[in-house]
Amino acid sequence: MHRDTSGTILLIVLVYLQLFSLLAMQGLASLGYDRKMAKLQMAQFMHHEDALTVLTVLDRERKVCPGPYSASALIYKPLSWWQEHACYGQFKGQPYYYLHEVLDVDRCVSISGSATPNRAALYYRTTLYYAADVSALVQDTFVTQSQLSPACDHPVKNISAGRQSLRWLR
């Protein structure tokens, strides 16, 4: 007896073709997702670079804006809060909001390598909300010379002027 298996073979071939088609579609979808993620990461990187550029300019200007605010309180503030309470600027057509506050003078620290030697350290903190497509919230601490001379009970520590810390809050 001879059995007709052409229908079964055709069915098996169609199932294999369907599986290969599904795998190919999954591969294309995965490739598209990877490209979108790479584009998003590049946008985030560019916004972070822009935010660092803005911070550098703000550290040079040292305009005092209202403060102080803790980092934990600022993380959850909406854009409307920043628009109402912070200073405003634009960089590459993107708005940013910032708080620039004087922290304190440390008379146990001297700024080394400066034009006016033997001056105490004056600390500032800048918090920047960069409101671009991918918003960034970054905070840095900056030190410069004060007009006071160091006066301390223990040995005075020497530091360099400039950015002392940088942290991405969001």
Side-chain angles (χ1 to χ4, degrees):
M1 292 239 320
H2 183 271
R3 284 175 88 190
D4 190 12
T5 58
S6 60
T8 307
I9 293 174
L10 178 61
L11 183 61
I12 291 172
V13 168
L14 289 174
V15 167
Y16 280 124
L17 285 175
Q18 185 69 27
L19 284 174
F20 288 130
S21 298
L22 288 174
L23 288 174
M25 294 296 285
Q26 172 61 30
L28 289 174
S30 176
L31 180 63
Y33 176 76
D34 290 344
R35 288 182 60 137
K36 284 181 184 179
M37 289 305 295
K39 189 175 181 179
L40 178 63
Q41 287 174 344
M42 181 57 92
Q44 286 176 330
F45 174 76
M46 294 305 291
H47 291 306
H48 284 178
E49 288 295 312
D50 290 348
L52 288 176
T53 302
V54 169
L55 266 179
T56 303
V57 170
L58 292 175
D59 285 339
R60 277 191 229 124
E61 292 177 357
R62 287 187 222 108
K63 293 180 185 173
V64 177
C65 287
Y69 297 99
S70 70
S72 60
L74 294 173
I75 289 174
Y76 301 107
K77 298 291 184 192
L79 177 59
S80 59
W81 183 90
W82 286 92
Q83 290 169 335
E84 184 178 334
H85 294 93
C87 296
Y88 171 79
Q90 275 196 337
F91 181 73
K92 293 185 179 179
Q94 297 292 332
Y96 63 86
Y97 304 91
Y98 64 96
L99 301 170
H100 193 78
E101 49 195 306
V102 178
L103 294 178
D104 201 3
V105 174
D106 188 348
R107 297 196 67 180
C108 290
V109 173
S110 176
I111 302 296
S112 61
S114 61
T116 311
N118 207 22
R119 293 287 185 217
L122 175 59
Y123 288 89
Y124 295 90
R125 179 173 52 210
T126 304
T127 307
L128 172 70
Y129 180 81
Y130 190 67
D133 299 335
V134 180
S135 63
L137 184 63
V138 62
Q139 192 173 66
D140 78 340
T141 305
F142 189 84
V143 66
T144 187
Q145 281 187 330
S146 73
Q147 297 302 315
L148 303 172
S149 297
C152 195
D153 296 342
H154 49 83
V156 174
K157 179 181 172 184
N158 287 320
I159 64 169
S160 297
R163 182 175 289 143
Q164 301 297 308
S165 69
L166 175 72
R167 61 183 177 164
W168 294 94
L169 304 175
R170 163 168 68 140

